[in-house]
Amino acid sequence: MAGEAAAAAIADAGLTPADIDGVMAHPAFPGQLHADAFRAWFGSTGPLWESPLGGGMVWAGTAPHAAARALADGSARHILNSFAVAWATQRSSMTGGPGQSHAQKITKRQLEVPFGWFPQPVYFATIARRHMHEFGTTVEQLGSVAVTTRLHANLTPSAVMCDRRLNLRDYLASPPVAEPFRKEDCSLISDGAAAYVMTTPERARDLRAPVVEVAGVGLGTSHAGGHWAQQPAFTTTPQVFAGPAAFAMAGIRPVDVDVLAVYDPFTIVTLMQIEDLGFCGKGEAGPLAESGALAHDAGGIPTNTHGGLLSHSYVLGIAHVTELVRQLRGQADAQVASAEIAVYGGYTGPQASALVLRRAR
């Protein structure tokens, strides 16, 4: 899947595999298109700059920063970032997937799993409960996130849930998985891959138009890492650090953003990132979602217009970035009118990234 996604991205850029002289992938996930795999898949024999700072999640947002440095110092001319996951296929063997990934962390294995505070729906449900307690967030507001992303997926032929309709009544009728979550509050588990190509603006203008520029990148880190039981700011994500840095680099404010894509393993994480990125005050994202402002055609802050992890696919965020590129090109299925500035919020729990993209003039 990584090879197929890479081939599509290279062709989309108007390049050939021989033009790619840099690759980025994340070493912690098997089956990625690292340098040797790229050569084997495409029959390439030329030199390749390689970086482990790519892939999905947070790194889907920060890969352009590492690529920009390599492009600036001449290490590469055209850099491919890709990510692939086969967790749906692996489910039958009870291997892979976020559960196994998280259970391998020492703090979780020793201090959370033995006490039943696991897997992810359980501890994110706890976070949602705390958000409800502090800010008055409601089940209906969580459901509004799920319903909106499903609407976007219904408009997107590539979405896993394209043909599965969802309204708030059906959501509320769905049985709880871990209070207050229903299954629609939780991300899909799927196979999938995505990729994008990076180069300098000057070279990009000589390739296939339209060009999308990287305007800003930010990275935030929580000192408690992935050990949720020790998170002091339980209803806050590291976007409080990443977002302002990326916006300052781009010279923009949240009000300037036309379309948003946030890593959404659970509906509550969508709400928290919208707040922490500065699109509204803390505790105000629930009413914002309930008002319909997250829809692609509502004139608010269109969010996860392809369906996100909740309804498009669980490709761990890199598909969010490719969706934003399509939005800025005017090629999306749930197109936001006249979109010029887009933001991706990447998330792993201990870290968050913010990537600001701009349609080149």
Side-chain angles (χ1 to χ4, degrees):
M1 290 183 296
E4 291 176 358
I10 293 167
D12 178 74
L15 297 168
T16 68
D19 295 313
I20 301 299
D21 54 3
V23 294
M24 302 184 73
H26 199 284
F29 293 85
Q32 303 307 311
L33 203 66
H34 49 71
D36 288 344
F38 181 90
R39 291 189 180 98
W41 184 266
F42 291 107
S44 173
T45 58
L48 282 174
W49 173 83
E50 184 175 18
S51 170
L53 302 177
M57 294 176 292
V58 163
W59 303 281
T62 56
H65 182 267
R69 299 181 68 175
L71 293 166
D73 66 20
S75 297
R77 291 171 56 85
H78 305 104
I79 299 174
L80 175 82
N81 181 44
S82 62
F83 185 79
V85 65
W87 283 349
T89 295
Q90 293 169 336
R91 280 181 112 171
S92 60
S93 62
M94 298 299 290
T95 61
Q100 179 176 335
S101 175
H102 281 247
Q104 290 171 345
K105 298 180 185 299
I106 293 176
T107 50
K108 291 180 183 292
R109 189 165 67 239
Q110 300 297 326
L111 301 173
E112 293 181 1
V113 175
F115 302 97
W117 203 41
F118 188 82
Q120 286 85 329
V122 174
Y123 50 75
F124 276 100
T126 311
I127 293 167
R129 275 290 190 216
R130 185 66 193 183
H131 202 275
M132 290 172 149
H133 173 74
E134 290 187 11
F135 306 113
T137 306
T138 67
V139 169
E140 288 80 6
Q141 291 166 357
L142 295 175
S144 295
V145 176
V147 170
T148 300
T149 54
R150 183 65 60 85
L151 170 64
H152 293 155
N154 293 155
L155 297 172
T156 306
S158 63
V160 172
M161 306 300 280
C162 178
D163 298 325
R164 302 280 293 275
R165 305 287 175 177
L166 179 68
N167 57 42
L168 190 58
R169 182 181 60 188
D170 294 336
Y171 167 86
L172 293 172
S174 182
V177 173
E179 289 279 5
F181 286 162
R182 291 148 171 83
K183 68 179 185 298
E184 292 82 6
D185 290 294
C186 309
S187 66
L188 302 169
I189 299 296
S190 61
D191 294 352
Y196 56 81
V197 176
M198 298 165 285
T199 189
T200 64
E202 295 76 21
R203 292 193 193 101
R205 291 188 182 96
D206 292 331
L207 299 175
R208 183 167 294 165
V211 176
V212 172
E213 295 180 341
V214 174
V217 178
L219 178 66
T221 301
S222 166
H223 76 273
H227 186 194
W228 279 105
Q230 299 300 314
Q231 291 285 355
F234 207 54
T235 59
T236 299
T237 71
Q239 287 295 2
V240 296
F241 309 117
F247 290 171
M249 183 183 291
I252 66 166
R253 299 172 299 162
V255 70
D256 299 317
V257 177
D258 299 306
V259 58
L260 174 67
V262 293
Y263 192 88
D264 53 330
F266 299 94
T267 50
I268 189 62
V269 180
T270 298
L271 296 182
M272 290 195 298
Q273 289 195 78
I274 289 172
E275 295 167 350
D276 296 341
L277 284 164
F279 291 101
C280 64
K282 202 64 189 170
E284 296 177 0
L288 189 70
E290 195 170 28
S291 75
L294 307 188
H296 75 287
D297 56 356
I301 179 62
T303 301
N304 290 350
T305 51
H306 61 318
L309 304 181
L310 294 173
S311 282
H312 181 272
S313 62
Y314 194 21
V315 192
L316 281 70
I318 192 169
H320 289 54
V321 177
T322 59
E323 167 67 10
L324 293 181
V325 171
R326 284 191 288 269
Q327 284 285 351
L328 296 179
R329 289 176 169 182
Q331 300 169 346
D333 295 300
Q335 182 64 48
V336 175
S338 304
E340 293 189 4
I341 296 176
V343 168
Y344 166 68
Y347 177 78
T348 61
Q351 284 191 317
S353 65
L355 171 67
V356 181
L357 300 174
R358 177 183 287 124
R359 186 174 67 192
R361 297 185 186 278

